[in-house]
């Protein structure tokens, strides 16, 4: 099955428009299918091809109703990957009207809450997704949020009682917390006696002199100054 | 150096002759038969005068003894300097019919450019005053300079069509035809490479073409982009730095207008901006780079580029450009978390334009999200027109951070509920998360006591006992050293000066023999004794 009218090297012919329309429909269903089976590696190449069709031939093919949904899925996917640069570039390319649609604005709202740090709003939002496909990202989103909360908590708290930790990190039970700490947070210390989660080993900060840095800097000054005639 | 002095002399002669209405320079002698005691002839029409000036500058006029087969080596620079002269700029105000008449006089009769100009706009007779052209004879200019004159006249015509007559599609077609003509006539003299004399003029033609394409519609825009890319490739090969720089800027502008930020970024990474380009082009390039980096969330780099752009921008002209750069810089500075100082908003000539931005900055400083959203909506039309609305949308969490910082500095302990209330954050729970994130981002310095439900600020330690001063000094020292290095690199000597000085010295010294040198030394000694 070969369709010569597709980008990147479209061959114009009488059937070009219908070829492109057919290709677009097929790719859209492929994207949605990939989202449904939660296979991200499958989603990406289809979306890229679809983007080519939207960008270059969007005018002649007319609006597609799946367009906002697929865009929303893509944006969420980038958020979950923490790829903010890509997220914003994609957002730029989306025209104004489509941005108002609930699918896209959902992703935008999630991004804003993530940046602000109101993670509870994020979780709350992901419990009410605008369409079924976004709901599929819920687990991934939860993991991302959990990592972010963990990072923040490390720096902000000295100790945290275990119950609070379970609640804050959105675990269902103590056991999950143990597993999480064991797997990905080796520097957290669970003190069984006091039922407390301590984030850093007790402070032993002496004032260290960063000698290598200072040496490197001073040598750089010396070389530059010698160049001044 | 004598070369520069000669040019200045010519300029002053030119200005004088136009002012007095008398043609003194010898180049005009073969054309105007009047001698010195005849009544002073009426001044040559502006376009002819400017054209003849270029011809004389390039040394290709009839009075020059050596009939030159090739243009002098500094031709590109000469043309650039000639282009920026005031008399030449006056030609921009010529009406279209004057332009056409002058073009017919100055260019050879079979020039395709003249035909293109004629066909681009139908002439209506008698509704514009023609300049008095009685004194200008018709002289065929030297063939080497014809492409340059053609390109210049073409650019004037396109300019007139675009701005005076507001006919972008006609201007677009005309510019396309003229570029083709100029390219064809250039390649007759040389292979496909652009001769340096044409380089500033072709750059100008491309710039007008891009402006026409903007106003002429989407079709024009699509064709122009691929053209610009192809031309850029050619310009890089022929090292025509003017054309290269202009085209790179035009392509970047086109990509940014169509919001293709990824492509713009890749283009900038794969190409090098030529160093020999003019200052204005460099300013534009810095602005586009700053914009790309801001959209890609690299705020500190973007701020550095935009500050550099503002420093290099010309002070007397280009106010609109500077205002645009200033606006972008303010927003980027807000996004890095710093508040721009007040004087920035009161720069001369910009106060009115920067008013909305000043209100916005005030609300960010206050740290109140509600006020911020209200102001952003109030001025949303202005921001959308400036293209900064996307960046402003990202400012929301900066507002919160600024507010948090103020609270943290003012209170040693503050309950999370209070924070939530002051900053309109919703519940204490979300306030807790937000504060935790702020601590992690380094915005505030403190510890949350979860059980007590409050935020405790850390004691302000003595800064001098940490490494902070050393790091700050290091930053300043590297900056100064970099500036010094750039200044040394930017030192410019007139290019021919060394050779000329060398030649003169060698020429003189060969004639001196030993006795003469000895005689000179004796004279000097005698003089010194006289002084005493």
């Amino acid at each position: 099955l070969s369709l010569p009218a597709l980008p990147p090297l479209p061959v114009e012919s009488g059937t070009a428009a219908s070829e492109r329309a057919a290709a677009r429909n097929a790719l859209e269903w492929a994207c949605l299918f990939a989202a449904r089976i939660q296979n991200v590696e499958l989603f990406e190449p289809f979306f890229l091809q679809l983007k080519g069709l939207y960008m270059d031939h969007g005018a002649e093919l007319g609006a597609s109703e799946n367009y906002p949904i697929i865009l929303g899925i893509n944006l969420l996917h980038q958020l979950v990957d923490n790829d903010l640069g890509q997220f914003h570039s994609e957002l730029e390319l989306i025209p104004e009207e489509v941005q108002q649609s609930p699918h896209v604005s959902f992703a935008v709202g999630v991004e804003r809450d993530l940046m602000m740090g109101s993670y509870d709003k994020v979780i709350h939002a992901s419990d009410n997704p605008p369409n079924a496909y976004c709901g599929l990202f819920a687990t991934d989103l939860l993991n991302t949020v959990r990592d972010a909360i963990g990072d923040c908590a490390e720096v902000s708290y000295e100790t945290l009682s275990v119950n609070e930790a379970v609640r804050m990190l959105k675990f269902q039970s103590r056991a999950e917390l143990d597993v999480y700490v064991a797997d990905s947070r080796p520097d957290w210390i669970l003190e069984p006696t006091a039922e407390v989660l301590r984030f850093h080993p007790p402070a032993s900060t002496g004032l260290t002199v960063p000698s290598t840095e200072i040496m490197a800097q001073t040598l750089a000054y010396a070389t530059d100054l010698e160049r001044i005639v | 150096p004598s070369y520069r002095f000669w040019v200045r002399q010519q300029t002053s002669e030119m200005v004088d002759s136009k002012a007095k209405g008398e043609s003194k320079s010898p180049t005009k002698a073969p054309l105007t038969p009047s001698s010195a005691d005849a009544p002073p002839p009426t001044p040559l029409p502006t376009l002819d005068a400017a054209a003849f000036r270029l011809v004389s500058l390039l040394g290709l006029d009839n009075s020059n003894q050596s009939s030159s087969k090739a243009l002098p080596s500094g031709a590109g620079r000469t043309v650039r300097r000639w282009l920026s002269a005031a008399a030449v700029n006056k030609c921009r105000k010529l009406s279209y019919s004057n332009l056409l008449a002058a073009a017919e006089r100055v260019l050879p009769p079979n020039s395709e450019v003249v035909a293109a100009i004629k066909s681009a706009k139908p002439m209506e007779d008698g509704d514009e005053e023609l300049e008095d052209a009685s004194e200008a004879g018709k002289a065929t200019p030297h063939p080497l300079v014809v492409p340059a004159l053609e390109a210049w006249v073409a650019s004037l015509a396109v300019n007139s069509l675009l701005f005076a007559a507001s006919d972008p599609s006609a201007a677009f077609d005309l510019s396309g035809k003229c570029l083709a003509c100029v390219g064809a006539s250039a390649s007759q003299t040389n292979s496909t490479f652009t001769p340096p004399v044409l380089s500033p003029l072709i750059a100008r033609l491309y710039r007008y073409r891009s402006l026409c394409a903007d106003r002429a519609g989407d079709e024009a825009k699509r064709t122009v982009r691929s053209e610009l890319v192809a031309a850029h490739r050619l310009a890089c090969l022929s090292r025509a730095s003017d054309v290269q720089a202009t085209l790179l800027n035009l392509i970047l502008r086109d990509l940014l207008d169509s919001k293709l930020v990824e492509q713009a970024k890749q283009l900038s990474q794969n190409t090098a901006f030529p160093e020999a380009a003019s200052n204005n082009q460099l300013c534009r390039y810095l602005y586009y780079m700053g914009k790309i980096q801001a959209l890609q969330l690299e705020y500190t780099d973007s701020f550095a580029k935009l500050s550099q752009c503002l420093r290099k921008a010309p002070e007397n002209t280009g106010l609109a450009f500077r205002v645009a750069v200033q606006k972008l810089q303010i927003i980027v500075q807000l996004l890095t978390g710093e508040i721009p100082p007040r004087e920035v908003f009161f720069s001369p000539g910009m106060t009115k334009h920067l008013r909305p931005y000043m209100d916005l900055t005030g609300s960010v400083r206050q740290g109140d999200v509600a006020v911020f959203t209200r102001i952003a909506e109030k001025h949303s039309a202005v921001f959308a027109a400036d293209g900064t609305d996307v960046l402003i949308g990202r400012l929301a969490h900066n507002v919160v951070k600024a507010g948090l910082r103020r609270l943290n500095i003012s209170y040693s302990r503050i309950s999370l509920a209070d924070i939530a209330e002051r900053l309109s954050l919703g519940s204490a729970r979300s306030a807790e998360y937000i504060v935790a994130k702020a601590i992690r981002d380094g915005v505030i310095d403190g510890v949350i006591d979860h059980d007590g439900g409050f935020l405790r600020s850390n004691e302000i330690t003595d800064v001098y006992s940490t490494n902070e001063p050393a790091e700050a000094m290091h930053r300043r020292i590297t900056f100064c050293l970099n500036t010094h290095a750039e200044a040394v690199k930017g030192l410019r000597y007139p290019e021919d000066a060394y050779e000329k000085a060398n030649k003169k010295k060698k020429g003189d010294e060969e004639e001196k023999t030993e006795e003469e040198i000895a005689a000179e030394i004796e004279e000097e000694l005698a003089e010194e004794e006289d002084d005493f």
Side-chain angles (χ1 to χ4, degrees), chain B residues 62-385:
Chain B
N62 301 338
S63 71
N64 213 346
Q65 296 304 0
S66 58
S67 70
S68 35
K69 289 279 175 8
L71 295 167
S73 60
R77 252 181 315 127
T78 322
V79 172
R80 226 178 278 146
R81 223 174 304 178
W82 166 77
L83 262 183
S84 55
V88 173
N89 273 333
K90 262 203 226 160
C91 298
R92 283 214 212 152
K93 308 249 177 61
L94 283 179
S95 65
Y96 201 78
S97 35
N98 271 331
L99 190 59
L100 181 57
E104 283 175 343
R105 285 195 298 270
V106 167
L107 294 175
N110 58 348
S111 158
E112 294 172 0
V113 171
V114 178
I117 297 181
K118 214 185 234 174
S119 60
K121 182 173 171 195
M123 286 290 114
E124 293 119 15
D125 297 311
D127 55 353
E128 286 148 356
E129 289 181 19
L130 286 179
E131 277 182 310
D132 185 8
S134 47
E135 286 302 333
K138 185 119 174 62
T140 323
H142 197 285
L144 277 180
V145 85
V146 163
L149 286 177
E150 282 187 340
W152 176 57
V153 170
S155 70
L156 287 177
V158 173
N159 184 18
S160 155
L161 269 183
L162 182 61
F163 292 117
S166 303
D167 193 356
S169 43
F172 188 68
D173 294 329
L174 179 60
S175 64
K177 275 188 238 165
C178 295
L179 269 171
C181 302
V182 171
S185 56
S187 54
Q188 279 164 11
T189 52
N190 216 343
S191 59
T192 38
F193 295 157
T194 327
V197 73
L198 281 184
S199 145
L201 294 160
I202 291 192
R204 196 178 264 214
L205 264 179
Y206 272 116
R207 192 152 56 91
Y208 284 142
R209 185 166 171 75
S210 185
L211 280 174
C212 302
D214 267 352
R215 304 187 193 191
D218 283 333
E219 266 302 314
K221 263 197 198 178
R222 269 201 288 264
T223 41
V224 96
R225 193 182 299 166
S226 39
E227 255 187 49
L228 289 176
V229 172
H232 178 71
R233 201 180 313 143
L234 266 183
C236 291
L237 284 176
S238 56
R239 310 276 177 128
S241 57
D242 280 338
V243 190
Q244 195 181 340
T246 320
L247 283 171
L248 185 58
N249 283 338
L250 289 174
I251 300 176
L252 278 176
R253 173 164 167 268
D254 190 31
L255 287 174
L256 280 175
D257 269 343
S258 338
K259 314 252 175 139
L260 294 167
V261 184
E262 272 298 307
Q263 263 117 313
K265 180 170 176 201
Q266 279 170 358
L267 175 68
S268 66
Q269 278 171 348
N270 290 338
T271 57
F273 190 75
E275 286 171 5
S278 73
N279 193 33
N280 293 344
Q281 295 297 335
L282 180 63
C283 281
R284 288 187 181 103
Y285 181 69
L286 287 171
Y287 170 62
Y288 294 135
M289 287 303 296
K291 198 158 186 196
I292 295 176
Q293 283 170 333
L295 288 170
Q296 294 272 326
L297 301 172
E298 296 161 21
Y299 299 130
T300 10
D301 289 335
S302 170
F303 181 64
K305 287 252 168 13
L306 291 171
S307 317
Q308 209 182 355
C309 173
L310 272 176
R311 271 198 294 267
K312 295 203 177 202
E315 302 210 355
N316 300 327
T317 57
L319 181 64
F321 176 71
R322 268 181 297 136
V323 169
V325 180
Q326 185 70 274
K327 288 179 183 174
L328 191 60
Q329 195 210 27
I330 292 174
I331 300 292
V332 171
Q333 199 171 3
L334 285 174
L335 280 166
T336 55
E338 296 168 1
I339 312 282
R342 240 178 118 74
E343 308 84 56
V344 158
F345 297 102
F346 293 110
S347 320
M350 297 199 211
T351 322
K352 197 166 50 108
H353 300 280
L354 293 178
R355 206 351 88 88
Y357 290 85
M358 199 165 95
D359 294 338
L360 197 69
T361 313
S363 76
V364 173
R365 226 186 59 188
Q366 269 186 327
D368 193 344
V369 181
V371 174
F372 171 75
T373 3
R374 205 184 62 222
I375 293 193
E377 267 170 52
K378 186 168 116 186
H379 296 289
S380 58
V382 175
F383 295 144

Side-chain angles (χ1 to χ4, degrees), chain A residues 3-223:
Chain A
L3 296 170
L6 297 179
L9 297 168
V11 173
E12 297 295 332
S13 66
T15 56
S18 61
E19 282 179 23
R20 284 196 271 266
R24 192 181 75 169
N25 281 335
L27 284 172
E28 282 183 0
W29 287 121
C31 284
L32 292 174
F33 174 67
R36 188 169 281 269
I37 62 174
Q38 291 191 320
N39 193 340
V40 170
E41 288 94 34
L42 207 55
F43 178 82
E44 278 180 15
F46 286 139
F47 181 76
L48 282 174
Q49 285 180 321
L50 202 51
K51 203 160 74 146
L53 272 176
Y54 282 141
M55 287 290 125
D56 296 334
H57 305 283
E60 72 178 33
L61 292 176
S64 135
E65 45 186 48
N66 286 329
Y67 183 45
I69 302 183
I70 297 187
L71 279 180
I73 299 177
N74 186 43
L75 288 174
L76 267 185
H77 163 58
Q78 271 152 4
L79 266 185
V80 166
D81 276 346
N82 233 352
D83 197 355
L84 287 173
Q86 272 288 69
F87 178 87
H88 283 287
S89 325
E90 295 279 335
L91 199 56
E92 290 273 322
L93 289 173
I94 301 176
E96 189 61 43
E97 332 66 68
V98 183
Q99 272 188 21
Q100 305 297 336
S101 88
H103 312 280
V104 176
S105 55
F106 173 75
V108 173
V110 168
E111 191 262 343
R112 196 173 310 147
D113 289 331
L114 265 181
M115 287 302 290
M116 278 238 273
S118 39
Y119 297 115
D120 51 342
K121 286 203 192 123
V122 173
I123 304 291
H124 179 70
S126 76
D127 288 334
N128 313 336
N131 59 45
Y133 302 103
C134 292
L136 298 168
F137 281 100
T139 30
D140 289 334
L141 204 55
L142 187 57
N143 284 336
T144 315
V145 167
R146 194 172 284 156
D147 284 335
I149 297 181
D151 286 336
C152 298
E154 255 184 353
V155 190
S156 350
Y157 298 97
E158 291 174 0
T159 64
L160 198 58
S161 80
V162 171
N163 294 334
E164 288 298 316
V166 168
R167 191 177 53 82
M168 195 169 286
L169 289 168
K170 308 280 187 257
F171 287 115
Q172 306 302 103
S173 73
R174 169 76 193 278
E176 289 184 20
L177 176 67
D178 289 339
V179 167
Y180 178 68
V181 169
D183 284 341
S184 35
R185 300 281 184 180
D187 43 346
W188 290 6
I189 306 172
L190 265 175
E191 291 184 3
T193 50
E195 287 286 306
V196 147
L197 189 61
R198 185 180 292 278
F199 293 103
H200 305 286
S204 58
T205 49
L207 199 54
T208 52
V209 176
S211 45
T212 23
E213 271 179 28
I214 294 187
M215 282 198 295
Q217 284 175 6
T218 326
L219 284 175
Y221 300 155
T223 28

